[in-house]
Amino acid sequence: MAQNRSPLPINPGKGLGFLLLGGSLRDVLVRLKTQPSVFPVINVEYAPDQPLFAPINLSLPQNGLRLRFDGPDQRLRLIEVLDFSKIPLTYKGTELVKIQENEDQTELPSVSGPNGPTFRHVYSKLFGPTFAGEYYPSSSSRDNGTYILSYPGVAFSFVVQRWPRDADFVSVLSSPATSPAKCLSIFSGSSWEDARQDLLTRPCPHPRSLALAGRGKESCPDEIEFVIIKGSGQLEMRRRNSPNFNLKLGETTQQDLVASLGPPDAVYRKNDRRLSIHKERTFSHSDNNPLNSESPGQFGAVSDTDRSSISTATDYSSPDDDALTEGNDSLAVECFYNYFNHGFDVFVSYPLTLSPPLNPAAKVPSRIKRGDDDGQSKDPVEQPLPGNQLVATKILLHGNVPGSHAFNRHRRSRWVLDASQIQSPNQALDSETPFFDVRDALKDVWQNSAIDDDGKAVTQRHMVLNRGWGDSPGSSIELLGGWEESADSVRIEGASKAALGNTDLYGFPGLLFEVLKNDAISCLTVY
């Protein structure tokens, strides 16, 4: 059982203690993991086949809590207290339930299940009168049922043995036929009946960052709601309250990043060239084909993706890493700006290439060329251009998909491909779209470029990347496949976690997708 701790205040419609409705899954998990003595067990419960659509639950069995997040945005929508004997609660300074303690100051375990507050205590001393709630008859018994007593932003569940006809709810709930509350729910809405209709989709009144919720608007940068990928290196970042930020690959400087997004949470010095071999292969006559060259021929152009999102990113570099950069001035200054709370990493380097458009109908130069004294341009070069300053050249948008190796390193970043550039007949192409739908749409856009010189269709290839050979997810989090009441729930521990590391890399001009086996997009690199 968790150690004794200070009571958590109930804030209807807002949260429970430091747990605020609207908080991001990553933010809440990070905060819980900083208090292992208080929250010793954290279970992440999700649907393996639909990790981006089904709700995600954080179960805290030693604390009697369950936190429910929506799948697409991963924001806290519902806080449930399932066992009042395991966590002290207060409302406006008044204890909800008096928890007994042994002589050694340890909490007594519940003898007959959750021991919640009585209806009289809730209705008379704590929250006061309210409107009639809802009664749900039990499916297994004709007499028993559950009554939901609802207030704005908070509700209590009571088990009622029988519900007489024409009886008012106050008389029934205050009678011996009604047991103490078995559950407390905190949500955003005027009542539970109102909130349950769109609990997982209604706009959140509070920010994702717990730190941002407790500070003034001027103290830290506004959070990014989602990113619109416009092609040709242009990304529009929609913010919660502030004006949008337009990031332009090849132009946005380090100073621009810090001014608009704030200082990075960490800086990682790039020194990984493990995929660069694919840049140096001998090009054949079909390599002018964008689809063929980009997949996998251009994987070398984004070869840094497999270290930036895996590394701890707390150190600038190790001595061995520094040895790799000797004699290479470009590697010595290239780095990642890790924005864990925004959900992405920005790669800062010298600009050597211009980003391609989403749609090949918009033609742009493919590379920056160095000019002669007579004004004529030479062939493309791989060395930093004289006089150029370091700018953002790539951005990695992380999906924070449950079950992935990179889970909980970044907040989930949501994005959408500009509909004016790429159109899909059935849906918008965004971070929740199954990858093969995105792939089919992109192949349609580039279909005229997917034919080789012999008139044959080019088959796009992919690479397999094993993330599990490096660091592993935090051992204090147990990943559960399925739901807590599902018979086929799988507890992923030890060697079985290696299966989480296998991902596939698919490349298109300017885009690199890292895809899990369930077709969810784990990371999108735009370059």
Side-chain angles (χ1 to χ4, degrees):
M1 181 173 293
Q3 292 184 2
N4 191 19
R5 55 210 171 277
S6 301
L8 295 180
I10 300 172
N11 296 307
K14 295 183 178 180
L16 179 65
F18 66 87
L19 299 171
L20 299 180
L21 294 173
S24 70
L25 175 61
R26 178 189 180 273
D27 229 35
V28 172
L29 266 175
V30 168
R31 184 68 179 268
L32 293 174
K33 290 173 63 179
T34 60
Q35 306 178 63
S37 61
V38 178
F39 303 101
V41 179
I42 306 172
N43 293 332
V44 182
E45 304 157 351
Y46 67 99
D49 295 335
Q50 293 184 322
L52 301 181
F53 295 97
I56 303 169
N57 287 343
L58 289 188
S59 177
L60 309 175
Q62 299 298 318
N63 306 89
L65 292 176
R66 182 169 61 190
L67 312 177
R68 178 162 296 189
F69 299 77
D70 67 90
D73 208 9
Q74 297 185 353
R75 304 186 69 176
L76 182 57
R77 302 288 186 164
L78 180 65
I79 301 173
E80 296 175 285
V81 179
L82 305 178
D83 192 338
F84 294 92
S85 67
K86 294 182 177 180
I87 183 168
L89 304 172
T90 61
Y91 177 68
K92 294 184 176 180
T94 302
E95 288 182 316
L96 199 67
V97 175
K98 183 66 176 179
I99 298 180
Q100 298 179 355
E101 296 181 350
N102 285 324
E103 294 180 357
D104 59 355
Q105 299 299 313
T106 60
E107 298 171 7
L108 287 173
S110 177
V111 178
S112 58
N115 187 16
T118 63
F119 169 76
R120 290 178 180 269
H121 186 57
V122 172
Y123 203 77
S124 300
K125 297 182 179 180
L126 292 177
F127 295 91
T130 187
F131 298 101
E134 299 174 285
Y135 177 73
Y136 299 92
S138 173
S139 59
S140 59
S141 174
R142 299 181 59 183
D143 296 330
N144 293 342
T146 301
Y147 190 90
I148 308 297
L149 181 68
S150 183
Y151 294 89
V154 64
F156 294 85
S157 300
F158 296 90
V159 176
V160 182
Q161 294 181 4
R162 63 186 64 86
W163 191 271
R165 292 184 177 181
D166 301 328
D168 65 274
F169 75 96
V170 175
S171 300
V172 176
L173 296 181
S174 58
S175 69
T178 301
S179 303
K182 69 172 184 177
C183 176
L184 178 149
S185 301
I186 301 175
F187 51 87
S188 177
S190 59
S191 67
W192 175 245
E193 182 180 8
D194 166 64
R196 68 180 183 179
Q197 305 299 328
D198 56 353
L199 179 67
L200 301 177
T201 58
R202 65 169 50 194
C204 291
H206 310 297
R208 296 173 179 82
S209 173
L210 300 181
L212 187 63
R215 299 178 183 177
K217 295 182 179 180
E218 304 297 332
S219 61
C220 53
D222 198 4
E223 63 186 10
I224 305 297
E225 290 287 325
F226 63 95
V227 179
I228 302 177
I229 302 170
K230 296 180 174 292
S232 300
Q234 300 185 50
L235 299 93
E236 181 180 344
M237 297 186 174
R238 297 287 180 89
R239 298 198 249 201
R240 181 179 177 86
N241 299 311
S242 305
N244 301 333
F245 170 53
N246 294 312
L247 188 151
K248 297 182 180 180
L249 299 179
E251 296 183 18
T252 300
T253 65
Q254 295 170 296
Q255 293 78 8
D256 296 332
L257 294 173
V258 174
S260 299
L261 303 175
D265 300 306
V267 175
Y268 171 70
R269 297 294 177 185
K270 177 184 178 301
N271 50 55
D272 195 344
R273 293 291 191 182
R274 283 178 289 177
L275 288 178
S276 61
I277 186 174
H278 296 284
K279 293 176 62 177
E280 300 166 2
R281 65 188 178 94
T282 302
F283 287 85
S284 64
H285 67 278
S286 63
D287 286 328
N288 292 326
N289 183 295
L291 274 184
N292 191 41
S293 63
E294 293 294 335
S295 180
Q298 284 293 329
F299 281 135
V302 285
S303 61
D304 37 82
T305 58
D306 66 328
R307 280 298 296 272
S308 64
S309 59
I310 286 184
S311 302
T312 307
T314 54
D315 297 325
Y316 285 89
S317 60
S318 66
D320 292 337
D321 294 337
D322 292 338
L324 296 176
T325 65
E326 293 182 3
N328 192 327
D329 295 336
S330 177
L331 279 180
V333 295
E334 293 175 346
C335 65
F336 283 96
Y337 276 19
N338 302 119
Y339 287 98
F340 302 124
N341 292 321
H342 284 316
F344 52 76
D345 300 321
V346 180
F347 182 55
V348 176
S349 66
Y350 291 106
L352 294 176
T353 63
L354 294 179
S355 300
L358 288 178
N359 195 316
K363 298 296 183 181
V364 295
S366 59
R367 285 181 178 268
I368 296 176
K369 298 183 178 182
R370 180 182 299 173
D372 280 340
D373 295 337
D374 58 0
Q376 300 296 322
S377 61
K378 291 183 177 180
D379 292 334
V381 293
E382 295 297 333
Q383 292 78 26
L385 299 181
N388 278 22
Q389 58 181 335
L390 292 170
V391 294
T393 55
K394 303 180 183 73
I395 181 170
L396 286 71
L397 305 171
H398 297 278
N400 195 37
V401 182
S404 66
H405 180 68
F407 177 66
N408 206 46
R409 286 192 173 90
H410 294 76
R411 192 206 86 190
R412 175 164 176 78
S413 178
R414 304 185 74 183
W415 50 264
V416 62
L417 300 182
D418 190 358
S420 65
Q421 299 289 326
I422 299 180
Q423 297 182 357
S424 177
N426 299 323
Q427 60 182 341
L429 300 177
D430 56 27
S431 49
E432 287 76 60
T433 305
F435 169 71
F436 286 100
D437 291 339
V438 177
R439 183 191 64 176
D440 291 343
L442 289 174
K443 291 176 78 172
D444 289 341
V445 170
W446 289 90
Q447 59 183 347
N448 294 332
S449 302
I451 305 298
D452 62 18
D453 294 346
D454 297 328
K456 297 180 180 180
V458 175
T459 301
Q460 188 187 27
R461 297 178 292 168
H462 68 276
M463 289 183 177
V464 177
L465 179 65
N466 192 308
R467 293 291 200 183
W469 288 347
D471 300 333
S472 60
S475 58
S476 61
I477 298 180
E478 301 174 75
L479 299 178
L480 304 179
W483 300 100
E484 69 276 13
E485 298 176 356
S486 175
D488 59 353
S489 294
V490 179
R491 186 181 299 270
I492 304 176
E493 294 180 303
S496 62
K497 288 183 180 180
L500 301 177
N502 293 332
T503 60
D504 295 328
L505 297 179
Y506 292 86
F508 285 89
L511 304 172
L512 181 67
F513 297 87
E514 184 173 346
V515 185
L516 302 177
K517 298 305 181 183
N518 54 19
D519 208 21
I521 299 175
S522 175
C523 179
L524 170 60
T525 300
V526 184
Y527 62 97

